[in-house]
Amino acid sequence: MTIDELARMAAAYTERHAHAEARALMEEAGLVVEVAGSLDTGASADFLAMLRAAVPLAAAESGLVVDMGSVHYVSSTGIGALANAMLEYDKARISFRLRSVPPAVRDLFALLGLWSFFKLADPPSAPDPARAAGDGA
Amino acid sequence: MTEPYPRARIRGEVVRVLASSAPDSEAYPRLAAAFAAVTGAACAVAYARAAPGEARADHIGHGGRASEAERAFASALLASGEAGVPAGPPPDSPRFVYRALAPRPGEPPVYAVAVVAGEEPFGADAAAVLESGLEIVGPLLASREDRRRVERELRRSQAEMRLLFDESKDMIYACNAEDAFASVNDAGLELLGLKDRFEAIGRRFSEFTLNASDRDFFLRRIRAEGFLRDYEFVVVPRGGEPRFCIETAHQIKRADGSFAGVQGIVKDISDRIRNEKEIWKTNMELAEANAKLQATQSALVQQEKLASIGQLAAGIAHEINNPLAFLKSNWRSVETFAAAFERAWSQAAVSVGEDVLRPIAEKEDLAFAKEELPRVFEESREGLARIETIVGQLKNFARADSEGEFAPYSLEKGIESSLAVAWNEIKYVADVEKDFAGTPLIQAIGGSVNQVVLNLLVNAAQAIGSQGRKEKGRIRITTKAVAGCVSCVVADDGPGMDAAVRGRVFDPFFTTKEPGKGTGLGLSISYDIIVQKHGGTFSVRSELGKGTEFEFTLPLSPPEDLATGSAAT
C-alpha cells in the first residue's frame, strides 16, 4: 500500500457515500486520514476497511492520525469502526490517534465510556473535562 | 291488472333511495315498496353476497301489500339459500327474479334479488318489469354496497392505525415544518420524559437531542431525500438518562409540494448499544491492560538491565579498588624511596666529590630525571586520585549495598557518580556546568535516582550530538532545596522538542532516537521512579530550537506508604 493507493481508496469512499468524504495525505507528523461529513451505518464498514488497508503504510510511518475536524455526525456503528480500528492498530503496536474531534462527537464517545481509550494527536491544551471525569458513563 | 311499468318512476325512486343516506332498514323497504307498487304484489329486495356453499342475504326489504305471512315467506326464501342462489344455478321458480352482478376477481358472486311473496307466480309482465328494474337497481345496489364496504374498511383501518399509534412501544410522532411536535404517542411521551401531550406539542424536537446538530443533519437529509431509514441519534429525556435511538421517517408535503413536516418512528436501542458498548469497552480495557503489561515487562527488563550494569560497574569498581589500594601504598613508598635516594645522592656528592659523580649523572641524565620527577609524581598522584574517585563514584552509582531501599542519599553525590558513568558519552559533545546549592541529604532509593540522572545526562548528550554541530554544546546541572524537597534541573542547548513530541516524552516506547539508539522506555521508567516510587514530580520544558530542561523534585522523606512499600519489597 502506498500513499497514492490509499488516496485513491479515500476518493472511492467519497464517491460511494453521498454524505461522507475522506482524504489520505502525508504530513510532517506522518500519515493522516481526514474524514468529513457523516460516519454512519452505511459508511462505517468502508471506513474501517480503509483504515485497515492503511496499516502497512502507518507501520512504516509513525502511525496513523485520523483527523475528524469536519465530521458532523457519527453513529454508534461509526464509533464501533473507530474502536475496532484502534484495537487492531494497538495489536500491531502502531500508533493510532484522533485529531480535532468535534465536541458533539466527543460527547458521544464520552457517553459510551470510550473517550479515554482514544489517544489524541492534538497539541496539549486546556484539560479535557471528559477525560478528567473518566468518561461520562 | 298490473299497471304498465313506470320505468322512469322506479329509476327515480331507486336513485333517490340509494343517493340518500338512509339506513338499510329504511332504504330496502323503500325499494321493495317501489317494486310492489309496480307489480301489485308483495315484494322483497335483497342484496346478497355469497360464497360457494354459503348463502347470506345481507339486506332484505319488504314492501307492498304483502301480508305478514307473505313477508315471512319472502324472508324465509332469502334466508334459506334458495333465494340467494349462491351455490348453484337459480331455482326455476316463477316467484324469483334475480340478477347476478359481475363479481370482482377473487370475490364471491353478488346477487341482487327481487322476490315476490305469495302463492301466485308472477305474471309475465311483472317478471319483465322486475327483471328490467333489477337491471337498474342491481348495479346501483352493488355500487352502494361497495362504497359502504370501503367506508367500513377505512373506518376499521383508521381504528387499527389509531391502535397502532396509541399502543406502539416505539415513539410515533409528527412534527411541523418548524420541527415542532404536532402529535406524539404515549411511547414517545415516555421516551421524551413528558407526562402528557400538552407538554410536547409545540416543542422543537432538537430540545430533546444530545446534539442539536444531529437533528439539523437529519432534517437536511429528509428535505433532500424525502425518506430516511435507521438514522441514529441520542435522546435526552426530561430528567432522564440519555437514550440511544434509531429513527425511520419521511417528510410530509403540502398540496403544493412544499415541506410541511416530518412523520417518524423512533425506536429506543439503548439496550443493544449498551451491550455493544460493553464489548468495545472490554476489548479496549483488555488491549490497554495488555499494552500496560507489555510496557511493564519491558520496563522490568530495562530496569533489570540498568541494575545489572550498575552491579557490574560496582563489581568492577570493587575489583579495581583492591589493587588500587596497594598501588597507592606502593606509590607513596616509591616517592619516599626516591626522596631517600635523592638525599643519598646529595650526601654522596659531598663525600666523594661532584667530579666523581658527574660522569655517572650525565651518562644517566639524572639532571633531567630530577627535574621531571616531581611532575611525574604529581601527575601519577592525580591519576591515582582520579581512579579512586571514579571507582568510588561507580560504587556509589550502583549502591549495591542498599538496592531498592530508602536510605540517606546525597543528590549531588549521586549526580557526580552518574556524570562519571556517562562521561564518555558526554565529553566529546558537550561541556558540563554544575550549579550545586549544597542540598541536604534526603531519604531515597539512591541507585534508582542515579539511573534517572544518568538517563537525563545521556539523553542530553545524544540530543546535542544528533545536531552534528562543530562546537560543543552545553549541559547545565542545577540543584536546589525548595520547601521540603530537593530539585535537579538538567538543561541542554540541543535541538529541543515541538509540542507534539513534548506531550509524549513520558509515554512508554515513545522515542525520537534512531532505531537501535533508544527503547523509548528511559523517561517513562524515570518518571515512574521519581513520581511513583518517591512521590516526587517530573516535568519538561522545551521549545523547538531552544533546548530542553528536565526538572525533577524529590521530597526530603518519601510519603509513608511509599517508604513502607519499599521496605516491604
Side-chain angles (χ1 to χ4, degrees), chain B residues 320-338:
Chain B
I320 293 172
N321 212 32
N322 287 337
L324 181 64
F326 59 73
L327 197 60
K328 276 173 63 185
S329 170
N330 287 352
W331 190 252
R332 278 194 295 273
S333 300
V334 169
E335 281 185 299
T336 307
F337 296 156

Side-chain angles (χ1 to χ4, degrees), chain A residues 9 13 39 43-54 80-86 88-89:
Chain A
M9 204 170 173
Y13 170 86
L39 193 50
S44 295
D46 276 354
F47 180 64
L48 179 58
M50 184 166 54
L51 297 187
R52 279 179 176 147
L82 285 166
N84 282 329
M86 195 199 80
E88 289 177 26
Y89 274 69

Side-chain angles (χ1 to χ4, degrees), chain B residues 208-536:
Chain B
F208 300 92
T209 58
L210 179 70
N211 295 310
S213 59
D214 284 356
R215 187 68 186 174
D216 291 341
F217 181 52
F218 166 87
L219 289 172
R220 279 203 304 277
R221 288 191 62 181
I222 275 281
R223 280 171 179 267
E225 298 164 29
F227 177 81
L228 203 51
R229 186 191 297 280
D230 296 344
Y231 184 83
E232 220 179 284
F233 66 105
V234 178
V235 166
V236 183
R238 288 279 182 274
E241 293 294 315
R243 312 292 299 172
F244 286 87
C245 295
I246 197 163
E247 173 171 6
T248 294
H250 64 271
Q251 66 163 285
I252 310 166
K253 284 185 176 178
R254 296 191 184 93
D256 64 1
S258 61
F259 179 76
V262 178
Q263 283 180 333
I265 300 178
V266 180
K267 190 175 184 62
D268 185 341
I269 55 165
S270 298
D271 289 343
R272 195 195 84 196
I273 296 289
R274 195 176 298 120
N275 291 337
E276 285 178 7
K277 172 183 125 177
E278 287 310 316
I279 292 169
W280 294 332
K281 208 171 170 183
T282 304
N283 285 340
M284 286 183 160
E285 281 168 353
L286 280 174
E288 201 170 68
N290 191 39
K292 277 183 184 164
L293 194 64
Q294 284 180 345
T296 306
Q297 190 183 24
S298 303
L300 285 172
V301 169
Q302 185 75 357
Q303 277 181 318
E304 194 64 32
K305 275 186 193 168
L306 287 171
S308 300
I309 291 167
Q311 284 166 1
L312 186 66
I316 292 168
H318 183 72
E319 290 305 317
I320 293 172
N321 212 32
N322 287 337
L324 181 64
F326 59 73
L327 197 60
K328 276 173 63 185
S329 170
N330 287 352
W331 190 252
R332 278 194 295 273
S333 300
V334 169
E335 281 185 299
T336 307
F337 296 156
F341 181 78
E342 194 179 342
R343 283 197 303 274
W345 184 268
S346 299
Q347 285 169 11
V350 172
S351 302
V352 299
E354 287 272 348
D355 296 343
V356 177
L357 293 180
R358 186 175 298 113
I360 301 167
E362 284 176 356
K363 187 185 175 188
E364 299 299 333
D365 202 7
L366 288 182
F368 176 75
K370 188 181 175 186
E371 190 185 321
E372 284 295 302
L373 212 50
R375 191 182 57 79
V376 169
F377 280 134
E378 181 55 34
E379 281 182 5
S380 299
R381 267 198 306 275
E382 197 180 308
L384 285 170
R386 280 173 63 182
I387 293 171
E388 190 175 26
T389 303
I390 290 168
V391 166
Q393 286 169 337
L394 285 177
K395 283 174 71 182
N396 182 56
F397 177 79
R399 299 177 68 91
D401 52 343
S402 59
E403 190 186 353
E405 289 183 11
F406 282 91
Y409 169 74
S410 162
L411 176 62
E412 284 150 10
K413 277 189 179 174
I415 293 169
E416 291 286 10
S417 63
S418 301
L419 260 175
V421 175
W423 187 242
N424 198 48
E425 190 88 19
I426 298 170
K427 64 185 177 186
Y428 300 111
V429 295
D431 294 323
V432 174
E433 293 172 16
K434 291 180 280 188
D435 182 6
F436 290 172
T439 55
L441 285 178
I442 61 170
Q443 288 289 320
I445 307 169
S448 297
V449 178
N450 291 344
Q451 281 177 20
V452 173
V453 178
L454 174 67
N455 190 44
L456 294 180
L457 291 172
V458 170
N459 276 355
Q462 288 181 345
I464 293 168
S466 72
Q467 294 178 291
R469 57 208 224 187
K470 286 178 185 167
E471 78 287 2
K472 277 187 178 182
R474 191 184 72 249
I475 298 173
R476 183 176 175 81
I477 310 167
T478 310
T479 65
K480 59 185 173 187
V482 279
C485 294
V486 293
S487 86
C488 170
V489 177
V490 177
D492 68 64
D493 62 352
M497 295 177 267
D498 62 21
V501 173
R502 197 172 61 230
R504 300 187 62 205
V505 284
F506 295 119
D507 286 356
F509 304 110
F510 177 78
T511 181
T512 57
K513 294 176 187 171
E514 296 166 26
K517 273 217 160 186
T519 60
L521 284 169
L523 283 172
S524 71
I525 292 172
S526 298
Y527 188 91
D528 181 67
I529 289 170
I530 298 298
V531 178
Q532 308 297 338
K533 289 196 168 61
H534 287 83

